[in-house]
Amino acid sequence: QVQLVESGGGLVQPGGSLRLSCAASGSIFSMYAMGWYRQAPGKERELVAVSGRSTNYVDSVKGRFTISRDNAKNTVYLQMNSLKPEDTAVYYCHAQVVSRMTGSLNNYWGQGTQVTVSS
């Protein structure tokens, strides 16, 4: 089994910054793509940023958010700058993990962390 533990959410004023972290642990042989999704009230979950063979961002965060990862620590980060009220959502970490026990590739999700941008 694999666990993803997120941290770094909170309340920030418009224009401020936050850094989210997501650490994976458990039966990990290797990790493929890692990324961040978000879901605002009344809206569908959307992909924010992903780091795999390439790095991609949703248009609304390009130039403001940066995804990075530390493969030695099985950790992915999301640096969020110039935050806007419309960035308010629950942010979820996602990872594609090859199990050390079974060799199978599975998708895992974190529990979510709330990001609120408000004055």
Side-chain angles (χ1 to χ4, degrees), residues 29-85:
F29 175 75
S30 64
M31 302 189 70
Y32 289 176
M34 298 186 76
W36 293 91
Y37 289 70
R38 66 185 179 187
Q39 187 167 19
K43 295 187 177 181
E44 294 186 353
R45 188 174 297 189
E46 67 169 352
L47 175 64
V48 177
V50 62
S51 173
R53 293 184 178 180
S54 60
T55 299
N56 293 288
Y57 299 90
V58 67
D59 286 345
S60 61
V61 308
K62 286 180 180 178
R64 301 187 298 122
F65 290 11
T66 303
I67 188 170
S68 61
R69 57 193 289 178
D70 184 336
N71 291 326
K73 296 181 179 180
N74 291 328
T75 299
V76 63
Y77 306 95
L78 185 68
Q79 178 66 43
M80 305 184 293
N81 298 328
S82 302
L83 282 161
K84 304 176 180 179

Tab-separated table of all heavy atoms in Angstrom, residues 29-85:
chain	number	residue	atom	x	y	z
A	29	PHE	N	8.209	0.901	-5.655
A	29	PHE	CA	9.356	0.479	-6.450
A	29	PHE	C	9.843	1.648	-7.306
A	29	PHE	O	11.027	1.928	-7.373
A	29	PHE	CB	8.993	-0.705	-7.345
A	29	PHE	CG	10.106	-1.116	-8.272
A	29	PHE	CD1	11.201	-1.803	-7.775
A	29	PHE	CD2	10.064	-0.816	-9.626
A	29	PHE	CE1	12.238	-2.183	-8.618
A	29	PHE	CE2	11.094	-1.187	-10.470
A	29	PHE	CZ	12.180	-1.877	-9.963
A	30	SER	N	8.898	2.306	-7.931
A	30	SER	CA	9.227	3.491	-8.721
A	30	SER	C	7.974	4.348	-8.871
A	30	SER	O	6.858	3.878	-8.656
A	30	SER	CB	9.782	3.122	-10.095
A	30	SER	OG	8.809	2.447	-10.863
A	31	MET	N	8.204	5.603	-9.230
A	31	MET	CA	7.080	6.529	-9.390
A	31	MET	C	7.126	7.139	-10.774
A	31	MET	O	8.195	7.537	-11.248
A	31	MET	CB	7.120	7.607	-8.310
A	31	MET	CG	7.081	7.031	-6.911
A	31	MET	SD	6.881	8.260	-5.625
A	31	MET	CE	5.206	8.763	-5.923
A	32	TYR	N	6.013	7.195	-11.408
A	32	TYR	CA	5.910	7.831	-12.706
A	32	TYR	C	5.427	9.262	-12.498
A	32	TYR	O	6.054	10.048	-11.822
A	32	TYR	CB	5.016	7.040	-13.632
A	32	TYR	CG	5.610	5.725	-14.095
A	32	TYR	CD1	4.879	4.830	-14.881
A	32	TYR	CD2	6.900	5.355	-13.757
A	32	TYR	CE1	5.422	3.637	-15.303
A	32	TYR	CE2	7.456	4.163	-14.178
A	32	TYR	CZ	6.708	3.302	-14.957
A	32	TYR	OH	7.240	2.110	-15.382
A	33	ALA	N	4.318	9.622	-13.080
A	33	ALA	CA	3.843	10.988	-12.965
A	33	ALA	C	3.373	11.306	-11.554
A	33	ALA	O	2.801	10.467	-10.862
A	33	ALA	CB	2.699	11.231	-13.943
A	34	MET	N	3.653	12.511	-11.140
A	34	MET	CA	3.114	13.056	-9.892
A	34	MET	C	2.512	14.414	-10.225
A	34	MET	O	3.063	15.160	-11.050
A	34	MET	CB	4.192	13.210	-8.825
A	34	MET	CG	4.842	11.916	-8.404
A	34	MET	SD	5.992	12.140	-7.024
A	34	MET	CE	4.832	12.323	-5.653
A	35	GLY	N	1.408	14.710	-9.587
A	35	GLY	CA	0.767	15.974	-9.934
A	35	GLY	C	-0.178	16.471	-8.882
A	35	GLY	O	-0.355	15.851	-7.827
A	36	TRP	N	-0.778	17.607	-9.185
A	36	TRP	CA	-1.732	18.255	-8.293
A	36	TRP	C	-3.027	18.542	-9.045
A	36	TRP	O	-3.000	19.022	-10.183
A	36	TRP	CB	-1.155	19.573	-7.767
A	36	TRP	CG	0.010	19.393	-6.855
A	36	TRP	CD1	1.333	19.365	-7.192
A	36	TRP	CD2	-0.057	19.182	-5.439
A	36	TRP	NE1	2.103	19.157	-6.081
A	36	TRP	CE2	1.276	19.049	-4.985
A	36	TRP	CE3	-1.089	19.117	-4.507
A	36	TRP	CZ2	1.593	18.839	-3.640
A	36	TRP	CZ3	-0.781	18.915	-3.178
A	36	TRP	CH2	0.550	18.776	-2.761
A	37	TYR	N	-4.121	18.240	-8.389
A	37	TYR	CA	-5.454	18.557	-8.878
A	37	TYR	C	-6.105	19.465	-7.850
A	37	TYR	O	-5.656	19.552	-6.713
A	37	TYR	CB	-6.297	17.291	-9.033
A	37	TYR	CG	-5.883	16.388	-10.172
A	37	TYR	CD1	-4.701	15.659	-10.137
A	37	TYR	CD2	-6.704	16.242	-11.297
A	37	TYR	CE1	-4.332	14.833	-11.176
A	37	TYR	CE2	-6.348	15.403	-12.336
A	37	TYR	CZ	-5.166	14.702	-12.269
A	37	TYR	OH	-4.803	13.879	-13.307
A	38	ARG	N	-7.189	20.104	-8.249
A	38	ARG	CA	-7.951	20.902	-7.291
A	38	ARG	C	-9.440	20.815	-7.606
A	38	ARG	O	-9.823	20.576	-8.738
A	38	ARG	CB	-7.500	22.359	-7.295
A	38	ARG	CG	-7.786	23.124	-8.575
A	38	ARG	CD	-7.179	24.530	-8.510
A	38	ARG	NE	-7.424	25.288	-9.736
A	38	ARG	CZ	-6.886	26.481	-9.986
A	38	ARG	NH1	-6.069	27.050	-9.081
A	38	ARG	NH2	-7.145	27.104	-11.118
A	39	GLN	N	-10.214	21.019	-6.554
A	39	GLN	CA	-11.664	20.994	-6.712
A	39	GLN	C	-12.267	22.103	-5.877
A	39	GLN	O	-12.123	22.114	-4.648
A	39	GLN	CB	-12.245	19.645	-6.301
A	39	GLN	CG	-13.721	19.510	-6.609
A	39	GLN	CD	-14.204	18.079	-6.502
A	39	GLN	OE1	-13.571	17.226	-5.881
A	39	GLN	NE2	-15.331	17.794	-7.147
A	40	ALA	N	-12.906	23.029	-6.557
A	40	ALA	CA	-13.594	24.127	-5.888
A	40	ALA	C	-15.050	23.722	-5.653
A	40	ALA	O	-15.583	22.842	-6.344
A	40	ALA	CB	-13.529	25.389	-6.741
A	41	PRO	N	-15.721	24.356	-4.699
A	41	PRO	CA	-17.120	24.016	-4.418
A	41	PRO	C	-17.996	24.142	-5.665
A	41	PRO	O	-17.949	25.152	-6.362
A	41	PRO	CB	-17.522	25.035	-3.360
A	41	PRO	CG	-16.248	25.400	-2.683
A	41	PRO	CD	-15.206	25.361	-3.759
A	42	GLY	N	-18.753	23.099	-5.943
A	42	GLY	CA	-19.657	23.111	-7.083
A	42	GLY	C	-19.002	22.894	-8.421
A	42	GLY	O	-19.677	22.978	-9.458
A	43	LYS	N	-17.703	22.616	-8.418
A	43	LYS	CA	-16.996	22.404	-9.681
A	43	LYS	C	-16.350	21.027	-9.721
A	43	LYS	O	-16.171	20.387	-8.682
A	43	LYS	CB	-15.920	23.485	-9.871
A	43	LYS	CG	-16.478	24.887	-10.029
A	43	LYS	CD	-15.387	25.871	-10.384
A	43	LYS	CE	-15.943	27.265	-10.619
A	43	LYS	NZ	-14.870	28.234	-10.986
A	44	GLU	N	-16.011	20.589	-10.927
A	44	GLU	CA	-15.341	19.315	-11.078
A	44	GLU	C	-13.862	19.450	-10.725
A	44	GLU	O	-13.277	20.531	-10.799
A	44	GLU	CB	-15.497	18.814	-12.517
A	44	GLU	CG	-16.925	18.478	-12.914
A	44	GLU	CD	-17.009	17.861	-14.291
A	44	GLU	OE1	-15.981	17.809	-14.986
A	44	GLU	OE2	-18.113	17.427	-14.670
A	45	ARG	N	-13.281	18.320	-10.360
A	45	ARG	CA	-11.851	18.302	-10.080
A	45	ARG	C	-11.101	18.551	-11.382
A	45	ARG	O	-11.428	17.968	-12.419
A	45	ARG	CB	-11.444	16.968	-9.477
A	45	ARG	CG	-10.015	16.914	-8.964
A	45	ARG	CD	-9.724	15.601	-8.240
A	45	ARG	NE	-10.548	15.429	-7.051
A	45	ARG	CZ	-10.344	14.450	-6.164
A	45	ARG	NH1	-9.351	13.591	-6.342
A	45	ARG	NH2	-11.137	14.340	-5.119
A	46	GLU	N	-10.073	19.426	-11.318
A	46	GLU	CA	-9.289	19.722	-12.503
A	46	GLU	C	-7.804	19.531	-12.234
A	46	GLU	O	-7.330	19.714	-11.105
A	46	GLU	CB	-9.536	21.163	-12.981
A	46	GLU	CG	-9.027	22.234	-12.054
A	46	GLU	CD	-9.046	23.634	-12.662
A	46	GLU	OE1	-9.310	23.773	-13.879
A	46	GLU	OE2	-8.788	24.604	-11.917
A	47	LEU	N	-7.086	19.171	-13.287
A	47	LEU	CA	-5.644	19.036	-13.192
A	47	LEU	C	-5.024	20.426	-13.134
A	47	LEU	O	-5.318	21.283	-13.972
A	47	LEU	CB	-5.099	18.282	-14.405
A	47	LEU	CG	-3.587	18.173	-14.502
A	47	LEU	CD1	-3.024	17.356	-13.349
A	47	LEU	CD2	-3.188	17.559	-15.838
A	48	VAL	N	-4.162	20.644	-12.165
A	48	VAL	CA	-3.462	21.919	-12.024
A	48	VAL	C	-2.078	21.831	-12.643
A	48	VAL	O	-1.685	22.690	-13.445
A	48	VAL	CB	-3.346	22.326	-10.542
A	48	VAL	CG1	-2.548	23.617	-10.399
A	48	VAL	CG2	-4.723	22.456	-9.910
A	49	ALA	N	-1.320	20.809	-12.260
A	49	ALA	CA	0.042	20.663	-12.763
A	49	ALA	C	0.456	19.206	-12.637
A	49	ALA	O	0.031	18.523	-11.701
A	49	ALA	CB	1.009	21.548	-11.990
A	50	VAL	N	1.284	18.757	-13.569
A	50	VAL	CA	1.761	17.386	-13.534
A	50	VAL	C	3.229	17.351	-13.928
A	50	VAL	O	3.666	18.101	-14.802
A	50	VAL	CB	0.936	16.472	-14.460
A	50	VAL	CG1	1.042	16.895	-15.901
A	50	VAL	CG2	1.346	15.011	-14.286
A	51	SER	N	3.973	16.476	-13.260
A	51	SER	CA	5.385	16.281	-13.549
A	51	SER	C	5.604	14.814	-13.873
A	51	SER	O	5.441	13.950	-13.016
A	51	SER	CB	6.233	16.679	-12.341
A	51	SER	OG	7.595	16.355	-12.553
A	52	GLY	N	5.925	14.561	-15.142
A	52	GLY	CA	6.195	13.194	-15.568
A	52	GLY	C	7.283	13.222	-16.608
A	52	GLY	O	8.356	13.771	-16.362
A	53	ARG	N	6.995	12.659	-17.793
A	53	ARG	CA	7.942	12.795	-18.892
A	53	ARG	C	8.075	14.259	-19.296
A	53	ARG	O	9.107	14.679	-19.824
A	53	ARG	CB	7.495	11.960	-20.079
A	53	ARG	CG	7.549	10.466	-19.821
A	53	ARG	CD	7.175	9.682	-21.064
A	53	ARG	NE	7.270	8.240	-20.836
A	53	ARG	CZ	7.003	7.330	-21.768
A	53	ARG	NH1	6.640	7.719	-22.973
A	53	ARG	NH2	7.114	6.051	-21.487
A	54	SER	N	7.033	15.008	-19.065
A	54	SER	CA	7.059	16.449	-19.285
A	54	SER	C	6.297	17.111	-18.147
A	54	SER	O	5.676	16.438	-17.319
A	54	SER	CB	6.428	16.805	-20.628
A	54	SER	OG	5.084	16.376	-20.667
A	55	THR	N	6.389	18.416	-18.113
A	55	THR	CA	5.686	19.188	-17.102
A	55	THR	C	4.599	20.017	-17.779
A	55	THR	O	4.871	20.688	-18.778
A	55	THR	CB	6.654	20.107	-16.350
A	55	THR	OG1	7.651	19.302	-15.701
A	55	THR	CG2	5.935	20.918	-15.294
A	56	ASN	N	3.399	19.939	-17.227
A	56	ASN	CA	2.291	20.655	-17.825
A	56	ASN	C	1.468	21.362	-16.758
A	56	ASN	O	1.374	20.882	-15.619
A	56	ASN	CB	1.394	19.697	-18.611
A	56	ASN	CG	2.090	19.135	-19.832
A	56	ASN	OD1	2.317	19.831	-20.811
A	56	ASN	ND2	2.452	17.873	-19.774
A	57	TYR	N	0.859	22.460	-17.152
A	57	TYR	CA	0.040	23.262	-16.249
A	57	TYR	C	-1.278	23.614	-16.931
A	57	TYR	O	-1.338	23.775	-18.162
A	57	TYR	CB	0.747	24.575	-15.894
A	57	TYR	CG	2.068	24.423	-15.192
A	57	TYR	CD1	3.252	24.330	-15.917
A	57	TYR	CD2	2.132	24.388	-13.795
A	57	TYR	CE1	4.469	24.192	-15.265
A	57	TYR	CE2	3.349	24.256	-13.142
A	57	TYR	CZ	4.510	24.158	-13.885
A	57	TYR	OH	5.722	24.021	-13.239
A	58	VAL	N	-2.303	23.760	-16.119
A	58	VAL	CA	-3.545	24.317	-16.644
A	58	VAL	C	-3.283	25.783	-16.964
A	58	VAL	O	-2.482	26.449	-16.288
A	58	VAL	CB	-4.689	24.141	-15.619
A	58	VAL	CG1	-4.452	24.979	-14.374
A	58	VAL	CG2	-6.024	24.468	-16.254
A	59	ASP	N	-3.921	26.301	-17.993
A	59	ASP	CA	-3.625	27.652	-18.470
A	59	ASP	C	-3.765	28.710	-17.376
A	59	ASP	O	-2.993	29.667	-17.327
A	59	ASP	CB	-4.535	28.011	-19.650
A	59	ASP	CG	-4.142	27.309	-20.930
A	59	ASP	OD1	-3.021	26.764	-20.994
A	59	ASP	OD2	-4.964	27.295	-21.869
A	60	SER	N	-4.721	28.525	-16.494
A	60	SER	CA	-5.014	29.552	-15.500
A	60	SER	C	-3.912	29.748	-14.466
A	60	SER	O	-3.920	30.756	-13.749
A	60	SER	CB	-6.327	29.227	-14.793
A	60	SER	OG	-6.238	27.987	-14.131
A	61	VAL	N	-2.960	28.814	-14.373
A	61	VAL	CA	-1.898	28.943	-13.376
A	61	VAL	C	-0.524	29.128	-13.997
A	61	VAL	O	0.460	29.322	-13.275
A	61	VAL	CB	-1.863	27.733	-12.414
A	61	VAL	CG1	-3.244	27.486	-11.809
A	61	VAL	CG2	-1.316	26.492	-13.079
A	62	LYS	N	-0.446	29.082	-15.311
A	62	LYS	CA	0.851	29.228	-15.974
A	62	LYS	C	1.486	30.569	-15.621
A	62	LYS	O	0.831	31.607	-15.656
A	62	LYS	CB	0.680	29.106	-17.486
A	62	LYS	CG	0.419	27.687	-17.956
A	62	LYS	CD	0.263	27.621	-19.473
A	62	LYS	CE	0.014	26.192	-19.930
A	62	LYS	NZ	-0.198	26.099	-21.396
A	63	GLY	N	2.761	30.522	-15.278
A	63	GLY	CA	3.474	31.730	-14.892
A	63	GLY	C	3.351	32.069	-13.416
A	63	GLY	O	4.056	32.952	-12.925
A	64	ARG	N	2.447	31.394	-12.709
A	64	ARG	CA	2.252	31.658	-11.281
A	64	ARG	C	2.605	30.456	-10.413
A	64	ARG	O	3.107	30.619	-9.299
A	64	ARG	CB	0.801	32.066	-11.020
A	64	ARG	CG	0.356	33.307	-11.769
A	64	ARG	CD	-1.033	33.753	-11.323
A	64	ARG	NE	-2.072	32.742	-11.586
A	64	ARG	CZ	-2.847	32.205	-10.637
A	64	ARG	NH1	-2.690	32.551	-9.374
A	64	ARG	NH2	-3.774	31.323	-10.966
A	65	PHE	N	2.320	29.264	-10.892
A	65	PHE	CA	2.570	28.044	-10.123
A	65	PHE	C	3.749	27.301	-10.735
A	65	PHE	O	3.942	27.300	-11.955
A	65	PHE	CB	1.353	27.120	-10.156
A	65	PHE	CG	0.155	27.597	-9.396
A	65	PHE	CD1	0.070	28.892	-8.901
A	65	PHE	CD2	-0.917	26.748	-9.171
A	65	PHE	CE1	-1.043	29.337	-8.199
A	65	PHE	CE2	-2.038	27.165	-8.478
A	65	PHE	CZ	-2.097	28.459	-7.999
A	66	THR	N	4.508	26.620	-9.869
A	66	THR	CA	5.621	25.801	-10.317
A	66	THR	C	5.585	24.463	-9.600
A	66	THR	O	5.559	24.422	-8.363
A	66	THR	CB	6.966	26.483	-10.042
A	66	THR	OG1	7.001	27.768	-10.678
A	66	THR	CG2	8.116	25.629	-10.574
A	67	ILE	N	5.597	23.383	-10.373
A	67	ILE	CA	5.646	22.048	-9.793
A	67	ILE	C	7.081	21.550	-9.831
A	67	ILE	O	7.816	21.805	-10.795
A	67	ILE	CB	4.707	21.072	-10.534
A	67	ILE	CG1	4.618	19.740	-9.789
A	67	ILE	CG2	5.137	20.868	-11.989
A	67	ILE	CD1	3.530	18.805	-10.322
A	68	SER	N	7.498	20.883	-8.770
A	68	SER	CA	8.831	20.294	-8.720
A	68	SER	C	8.753	19.009	-7.912
A	68	SER	O	7.771	18.777	-7.198
A	68	SER	CB	9.834	21.268	-8.098
A	68	SER	OG	9.474	21.593	-6.769
A	69	ARG	N	9.780	18.173	-8.035
A	69	ARG	CA	9.774	16.940	-7.287
A	69	ARG	C	11.182	16.569	-6.858
A	69	ARG	O	12.157	16.907	-7.520
A	69	ARG	CB	9.117	15.816	-8.101
A	69	ARG	CG	9.741	15.556	-9.445
A	69	ARG	CD	8.859	14.679	-10.320
A	69	ARG	NE	8.798	13.296	-9.885
A	69	ARG	CZ	8.066	12.369	-10.476
A	69	ARG	NH1	7.308	12.694	-11.522
A	69	ARG	NH2	8.063	11.120	-10.042
A	70	ASP	N	11.225	15.880	-5.737
A	70	ASP	CA	12.464	15.333	-5.208
A	70	ASP	C	12.301	13.817	-5.250
A	70	ASP	O	11.670	13.231	-4.369
A	70	ASP	CB	12.698	15.837	-3.785
A	70	ASP	CG	14.032	15.386	-3.214
A	70	ASP	OD1	14.561	14.367	-3.674
A	70	ASP	OD2	14.522	16.051	-2.295
A	71	ASN	N	12.853	13.198	-6.266
A	71	ASN	CA	12.643	11.753	-6.444
A	71	ASN	C	13.276	10.937	-5.330
A	71	ASN	O	12.783	9.856	-4.987
A	71	ASN	CB	13.196	11.317	-7.801
A	71	ASN	CG	12.375	11.873	-8.955
A	71	ASN	OD1	11.160	12.017	-8.845
A	71	ASN	ND2	13.022	12.184	-10.059
A	72	ALA	N	14.338	11.443	-4.749
A	72	ALA	CA	14.992	10.721	-3.654
A	72	ALA	C	14.087	10.645	-2.433
A	72	ALA	O	14.169	9.714	-1.633
A	72	ALA	CB	16.305	11.383	-3.293
A	73	LYS	N	13.214	11.644	-2.295
A	73	LYS	CA	12.300	11.696	-1.157
A	73	LYS	C	10.876	11.316	-1.541
A	73	LYS	O	9.974	11.381	-0.707
A	73	LYS	CB	12.299	13.098	-0.554
A	73	LYS	CG	13.637	13.524	0.041
A	73	LYS	CD	13.537	14.921	0.641
A	73	LYS	CE	14.852	15.344	1.267
A	73	LYS	NZ	14.772	16.704	1.852
A	74	ASN	N	10.666	10.937	-2.801
A	74	ASN	CA	9.311	10.615	-3.282
A	74	ASN	C	8.329	11.730	-2.938
A	74	ASN	O	7.215	11.485	-2.466
A	74	ASN	CB	8.823	9.288	-2.698
A	74	ASN	CG	9.586	8.100	-3.237
A	74	ASN	OD1	10.027	8.091	-4.379
A	74	ASN	ND2	9.764	7.085	-2.403
A	75	THR	N	8.754	12.951	-3.174
A	75	THR	CA	7.969	14.115	-2.789
A	75	THR	C	7.772	15.050	-3.977
A	75	THR	O	8.703	15.244	-4.763
A	75	THR	CB	8.661	14.869	-1.637
A	75	THR	OG1	8.773	13.995	-0.512
A	75	THR	CG2	7.862	16.094	-1.232
A	76	VAL	N	6.575	15.593	-4.070
A	76	VAL	CA	6.277	16.581	-5.101
A	76	VAL	C	5.811	17.852	-4.418
A	76	VAL	O	5.168	17.817	-3.362
A	76	VAL	CB	5.207	16.054	-6.088
A	76	VAL	CG1	3.874	15.805	-5.401
A	76	VAL	CG2	5.055	16.989	-7.275
A	77	TYR	N	6.165	18.977	-5.007
A	77	TYR	CA	5.845	20.288	-4.444
A	77	TYR	C	5.044	21.108	-5.454
A	77	TYR	O	5.144	20.895	-6.670
A	77	TYR	CB	7.121	21.059	-4.090
A	77	TYR	CG	8.061	20.306	-3.185
A	77	TYR	CD1	9.119	19.559	-3.708
A	77	TYR	CD2	7.912	20.341	-1.801
A	77	TYR	CE1	9.985	18.858	-2.900
A	77	TYR	CE2	8.784	19.639	-0.975
A	77	TYR	CZ	9.814	18.912	-1.531
A	77	TYR	OH	10.665	18.218	-0.713
A	78	LEU	N	4.284	22.048	-4.940
A	78	LEU	CA	3.610	23.013	-5.800
A	78	LEU	C	3.810	24.386	-5.177
A	78	LEU	O	3.244	24.683	-4.119
A	78	LEU	CB	2.120	22.708	-5.945
A	78	LEU	CG	1.374	23.600	-6.930
A	78	LEU	CD1	1.857	23.321	-8.363
A	78	LEU	CD2	-0.139	23.390	-6.843
A	79	GLN	N	4.654	25.188	-5.812
A	79	GLN	CA	4.861	26.560	-5.367
A	79	GLN	C	3.826	27.429	-6.054
A	79	GLN	O	3.769	27.471	-7.289
A	79	GLN	CB	6.269	27.029	-5.728
A	79	GLN	CG	6.560	28.479	-5.352
A	79	GLN	CD	6.560	28.704	-3.855
A	79	GLN	OE1	7.107	27.909	-3.102
A	79	GLN	NE2	5.937	29.789	-3.422
A	80	MET	N	3.016	28.102	-5.260
A	80	MET	CA	1.922	28.912	-5.789
A	80	MET	C	2.180	30.373	-5.441
A	80	MET	O	2.200	30.735	-4.262
A	80	MET	CB	0.587	28.445	-5.214
A	80	MET	CG	0.314	26.959	-5.428
A	80	MET	SD	-1.319	26.446	-4.860
A	80	MET	CE	-1.134	26.660	-3.105
A	81	ASN	N	2.390	31.183	-6.448
A	81	ASN	CA	2.623	32.614	-6.265
A	81	ASN	C	1.486	33.419	-6.893
A	81	ASN	O	0.702	32.897	-7.689
A	81	ASN	CB	3.950	33.016	-6.914
A	81	ASN	CG	5.140	32.313	-6.303
A	81	ASN	OD1	5.157	31.997	-5.107
A	81	ASN	ND2	6.153	32.056	-7.119
A	82	SER	N	1.408	34.674	-6.519
A	82	SER	CA	0.386	35.575	-7.060
A	82	SER	C	-1.002	34.945	-6.995
A	82	SER	O	-1.760	34.938	-7.968
A	82	SER	CB	0.727	35.944	-8.513
A	82	SER	OG	1.997	36.549	-8.601
A	83	LEU	N	-1.321	34.410	-5.848
A	83	LEU	CA	-2.583	33.696	-5.685
A	83	LEU	C	-3.779	34.617	-5.854
A	83	LEU	O	-3.742	35.796	-5.470
A	83	LEU	CB	-2.622	33.010	-4.330
A	83	LEU	CG	-1.802	31.717	-4.267
A	83	LEU	CD1	-1.485	31.334	-2.837
A	83	LEU	CD2	-2.545	30.585	-4.969
A	84	LYS	N	-4.833	34.048	-6.427
A	84	LYS	CA	-6.065	34.776	-6.687
A	84	LYS	C	-7.215	34.091	-5.960
A	84	LYS	O	-7.147	32.891	-5.681
A	84	LYS	CB	-6.357	34.777	-8.184
A	84	LYS	CG	-5.241	35.337	-9.057
A	84	LYS	CD	-5.585	35.196	-10.527
A	84	LYS	CE	-4.476	35.743	-11.418
A	84	LYS	NZ	-4.808	35.590	-12.865
A	85	PRO	N	-8.297	34.818	-5.688
A	85	PRO	CA	-9.456	34.181	-5.030
A	85	PRO	C	-9.960	32.961	-5.799
A	85	PRO	O	-10.423	31.995	-5.174
A	85	PRO	CB	-10.491	35.306	-5.003
A	85	PRO	CG	-9.674	36.554	-4.934
A	85	PRO	CD	-8.471	36.283	-5.804
